[in-house]
Amino acid sequence: MNIKRIAIDLAKDVFQLYGVDEKQQTVLEKRITSRSQLKEYIAKCAPCEIIMEACGSANYWAREFKRLGCEVKLIAPQYVKPYIQRNKNDYRDARGIMEASFWPGTPYVTPKTVEQQDIQSLLRIRSSYLDMRTKVSNQIRGLMKEYGVFVKQGYKHLRSILPSLFARDSENGLSPMIKELMEGQYGMLLVIDEKIDTLNVQIESMAKKDEACVRLQAVEGIGPITALAIIALVGSRGEGFKNGRHFSAYLGLVPKQHSSGQRERLLGISKRGDDYLRILLIHGGRAVVRTSSKKADPKSMWVNDVKTRAGMNKAAVAVANKNA
């Protein structure tokens, strides 16, 4: 068979292949039921073009197929869905991926390298620890309220006051059982804090060694974590995007449109793309807005003008958009 392009619907162990020749005629419809068999089959078909959805394990398979001499392209799932006809199954998914690749306007996702995957894993694990710490802190506050113990806002204050609350000789309305439970939760917070501190040191070290991260941190509002998140998403050169505006639109930092005819209607930001990086950029923008009133450079004057006209939050998003 003269296979020019293969679309693969990925799963954990079952893979549906749909292949076409140079004339875009179907020449392959195959179901493979193991990962080792998939590698062997693609090795026999190489070199050819491989199209996949940008889903779980897609980056791994992209790297593996590239080693076999194939050209690999990833398509975001939202651009494949319109091409899946009628009921969903693996065969229709693979065919939908193939049909989406025929459309000239289909945007592709750049496969991540192992280094980018490492950075993303580091940042995601740190983020999960932060969520875990927030969850435990809120649980502690909520449970102690039922005993008449109210702790003012702020994680640092909660951590500093907890040991005195669950001390055996303290008289504060907490029963011996809840004191024991709170002591256990306090120990968990200490462990989580230690994990976060270790990851923060690793992030600082990586950001200092990477040249692209150092350049990114020269931008006001971008620190080590945001810089590494950008590298993890787009690499050190950002070849997957035409320009900065394209990248900003991908992150969802531009307005949604609901226009018709000659009436243009712009809504709030679209919030598409990578949520994690968009949030980091907006937080960085908020820090810039808070300090802009103390400066007199052109950018700070622009930020102050936006803040006066539209408010703090819109100004923070505007800075995030400009930084992107």
Side-chain angles (χ1 to χ4, degrees):
M1 291 183 294
N2 181 23
I3 302 175
K4 183 70 174 176
R5 182 182 294 183
I6 300 176
I8 304 177
D9 179 53
L10 297 174
K12 186 177 180 181
D13 296 305
V14 179
F15 308 91
Q16 180 68 46
L17 277 62
Y18 186 94
V20 298
D21 59 15
E22 292 181 353
K23 297 180 180 179
Q24 298 185 0
Q25 298 299 312
T26 303
V27 293
L28 173 67
E29 295 175 359
K30 186 175 180 65
R31 187 180 180 87
I32 295 178
T33 55
S34 79
R35 294 184 290 276
S36 59
Q37 287 179 14
L38 177 62
K39 285 185 184 180
E40 292 173 7
Y41 190 85
I42 296 300
K44 292 176 184 177
C45 297
C48 62
E49 192 176 34
I50 306 290
I51 313 292
M52 299 178 290
E53 275 188 331
C55 58
S57 76
N59 289 301
Y60 163 74
W61 285 115
R63 294 192 295 268
E64 291 296 314
F65 295 152
K66 280 184 177 180
R67 290 192 189 104
L68 296 173
C70 298
E71 182 185 354
V72 182
K73 292 181 178 179
L74 303 182
I75 305 176
Q78 63 263 33
Y79 296 110
V80 174
K81 191 172 182 180
Y83 294 93
I84 298 174
Q85 300 174 8
R86 298 183 295 277
N87 299 316
K88 179 190 181 301
N89 57 41
D90 291 347
Y91 170 76
R92 288 198 175 100
D93 285 350
R95 190 172 66 180
I97 294 169
M98 180 64 74
E99 291 180 3
S101 72
F102 291 150
W103 181 49
T106 297
Y108 293 101
V109 179
T110 306
K112 286 183 173 59
T113 63
V114 174
E115 291 75 18
Q116 286 177 277
Q117 207 74 58
D118 289 345
I119 294 171
Q120 188 181 61
S121 300
L122 172 65
L123 295 176
R124 291 297 189 269
I125 289 172
R126 179 184 178 276
S127 180
S128 69
Y129 281 140
L130 291 173
D131 291 342
M132 199 183 305
R133 186 174 73 179
T134 302
K135 184 176 180 180
V136 173
S137 302
N138 290 340
Q139 184 188 59
I140 290 172
R141 291 176 186 278
L143 290 174
M144 289 198 299
K145 283 178 182 177
E146 301 302 327
Y147 294 86
V149 177
F150 297 86
V151 181
K152 69 179 183 180
Q153 268 189 314
Y155 172 71
K156 288 184 179 179
H157 180 74
L158 174 68
R159 178 174 158 172
S160 64
I161 202 173
L162 264 179
S164 63
L165 293 177
F166 59 69
R168 298 292 183 269
D169 56 348
S170 60
E171 295 292 334
N172 49 26
L174 297 179
S175 67
M177 181 177 177
I178 194 65
K179 285 182 179 180
E180 185 179 348
L181 291 172
M182 290 302 104
E183 187 174 2
Q185 293 298 85
Y186 176 72
M188 184 180 292
L189 289 177
L190 294 181
V191 172
I192 295 172
D193 282 343
E194 185 180 351
K195 295 281 188 184
I196 293 172
D197 291 340
T198 301
L199 293 179
N200 286 342
V201 171
Q202 192 173 352
I203 287 169
E204 291 280 354
S205 175
M206 291 176 68
K208 287 178 182 177
K209 292 177 183 177
D210 191 288
E211 183 186 347
C213 279
V214 173
R215 292 201 309 270
L216 283 167
Q217 290 178 78
V219 179
E220 190 179 17
I222 294 182
I225 295 174
T226 307
L228 282 174
I230 294 171
I231 297 296
L233 183 64
V234 305
S236 59
R237 297 186 61 84
E239 297 94 340
F241 297 90
K242 299 173 188 175
N243 49 45
R245 289 187 178 185
H246 186 199
F247 178 53
S248 179
Y250 165 78
L251 289 176
L253 288 168
V254 298
K256 287 188 290 186
Q257 270 201 9
H258 192 78
S259 304
S260 179
Q262 305 223 353
R263 181 187 177 190
E264 289 191 5
R265 186 182 177 200
L266 299 180
L267 308 175
I269 59 173
S270 63
K271 296 185 180 179
R272 292 175 182 151
D274 191 286
D275 293 346
Y276 180 72
L277 181 53
R278 182 175 64 250
I279 290 169
L280 289 176
L281 285 169
I282 291 175
H283 284 334
R286 192 168 284 117
V288 172
V289 174
R290 278 201 301 268
T291 59
S292 63
S293 59
K294 302 174 184 178
K295 302 174 185 177
D297 58 280
K299 182 179 177 181
S300 297
M301 292 174 67
W302 168 77
V303 172
N304 290 329
D305 181 53
V306 176
K307 181 181 176 182
T308 303
R309 287 187 288 107
M312 174 77 175
N313 290 333
K314 289 184 179 179
V317 173
V319 174
N321 180 39
K322 186 177 283 291
N323 284 350

